[in-house]
Amino acid sequence: VCRLRHIRMNDYIPLSMLNDFIFCPYSIYLHSVYMESDEDLFKATPQIKGTIAHQGVDEKKGSTRKSDIMSLPVCCDELGIFGKIDIYKQDKKLLIERKNNLKQIFRGQIYQIWGQYFCLKEMGYKVDRLAFYEISTNKMIEVDMPGEQGKIELIEFIKQLKDYNPLSTMFKVNPNKCIHCIYCNLCDKTTNDNVYT
C-alpha cells in the first residue's frame, strides 16, 4: 500500500514532470518559479484543452462501468514518483492515459504511463496492457509494457531528473521546442515568443 500520508512529497517526482523534463529540463525550473502565479499568465491553448479534456475523468464521469477506476491517486515508493491515473479498466487489466491530441507519442509520455504502471503494480493492481486514448479522434493506441529493461531506463531517467540543477547544468536552447513552450515568454534563455500569444 502506498505511503502517501507518510512521505515528504518534496522527495517524490510528479508523474506529469517526466514528460515535461524530456521536453525541456529548464521548464521544470520555470514551473517551480511560476507555480504560485495566476495560471492565465502562462497557460496556453493546448494546456487549457487538456484540462477540459480531463474534466470528465477528474470528476469521475468518463465511464459508468463499475469496474473502471478513474482519477486514482497513485505513488510508487520504489521509484519515488506520484500522481494520478486517468482510467484503469479492472476487467481488462488495462491502464489508459487520455490525451486530447496525439500527433505522435513521445518518450516522456511513455515514461509517464510506465510510471503509472509501476505505481499501480506496487499498490497491488494487476496491469497487463497500456494504452493512450486520443480524445479528438476517439482512438485507442496500445503501447508496450516496460519490462525489466524499461524499468532500468525509467529509474535512470528519474535519477537524471532528481539530479538536475539549472545553475550547474549546461543548457542548449532548442528554438523549435521553445516556440511550443508555455513558459517561453517568461524564460530568460530565449528571446522567442511562443506560438500561443
Side-chain angles (χ1 to χ4, degrees):
V1 177
C2 179
R3 301 182 287 121
L4 270 178
R5 289 176 303 221
H6 308 293
I7 59 177
R8 287 184 24 226
M9 295 316 280
N10 292 351
D11 299 335
Y12 281 56
I13 302 292
L15 287 165
S16 59
M17 196 180 279
L18 301 178
N19 187 38
D20 295 343
F21 187 75
I22 281 190
F23 179 77
C24 173
Y26 195 66
S27 74
I28 301 300
Y29 165 72
L30 292 172
H31 177 75
S32 67
V33 169
Y34 292 107
M35 69 188 217
E36 298 299 324
S37 304
D38 181 356
E39 289 186 348
D40 291 339
L41 288 176
F42 56 84
K43 253 194 176 179
T45 303
Q47 287 74 34
I48 293 165
K49 284 183 178 177
T51 300
I52 292 167
H54 271 89
Q55 276 179 342
V57 170
D58 293 339
E59 295 168 7
K60 303 188 180 185
K61 295 178 183 173
S63 172
T64 56
R65 292 180 165 209
K66 290 183 180 179
S67 60
D68 290 354
I69 299 173
M70 292 175 289
S71 196
L72 176 71
V74 294
C75 82
C76 177
D77 294 329
E78 181 186 4
L79 301 184
I81 52 178
F82 75 99
K84 266 187 189 178
I85 61 151
D86 283 348
I87 301 174
Y88 170 62
K89 293 187 169 288
Q90 293 182 88
D91 56 341
K92 298 178 180 177
K93 298 179 177 53
L94 170 63
L95 173 62
I96 300 169
E97 171 70 11
R98 291 163 52 104
K99 299 288 182 191
N100 193 46
N101 251 322
L102 270 178
K103 292 189 174 103
Q104 71 180 87
I105 298 172
F106 294 99
R107 199 65 182 164
Q109 293 167 321
I110 294 289
Y111 287 162
Q112 196 172 350
I113 200 167
W114 282 1
Q116 293 172 10
Y117 161 74
F118 286 115
C119 288
L120 282 177
K121 186 176 173 189
E122 187 176 286
M123 292 169 68
Y125 292 91
K126 175 82 170 141
V127 181
D128 291 337
R129 295 161 55 210
L130 306 174
F132 289 96
Y133 173 69
E134 186 176 33
I135 297 164
S136 60
T137 61
N138 192 28
K139 191 168 139 188
M140 192 79 73
I141 306 156
E142 290 211 29
V143 294
D144 292 335
M145 299 286 283
E148 198 53 43
Q149 195 55 45
K151 184 177 183 181
I152 292 166
E153 182 182 334
L154 183 59
I155 288 169
E156 180 54 37
F157 175 72
I158 291 168
K159 183 180 181 316
Q160 287 173 27
L161 198 161
K162 285 183 174 181
D163 292 344
Y164 177 73
N165 180 337
L167 299 176
S168 62
T169 306
M170 185 73 153
F171 181 78
K172 185 174 180 188
V173 172
N174 180 336
N176 292 326
K177 284 188 176 183
C178 289
I179 61 170
H180 294 284
C181 177
I182 61 171
Y183 300 109
C184 181
N185 302 350
L186 306 168
C187 182
D188 60 325
K189 303 291 185 187
T190 180
T191 56
N192 292 335
D193 284 336
N194 67 32
V195 294
Y196 310 112
T197 54

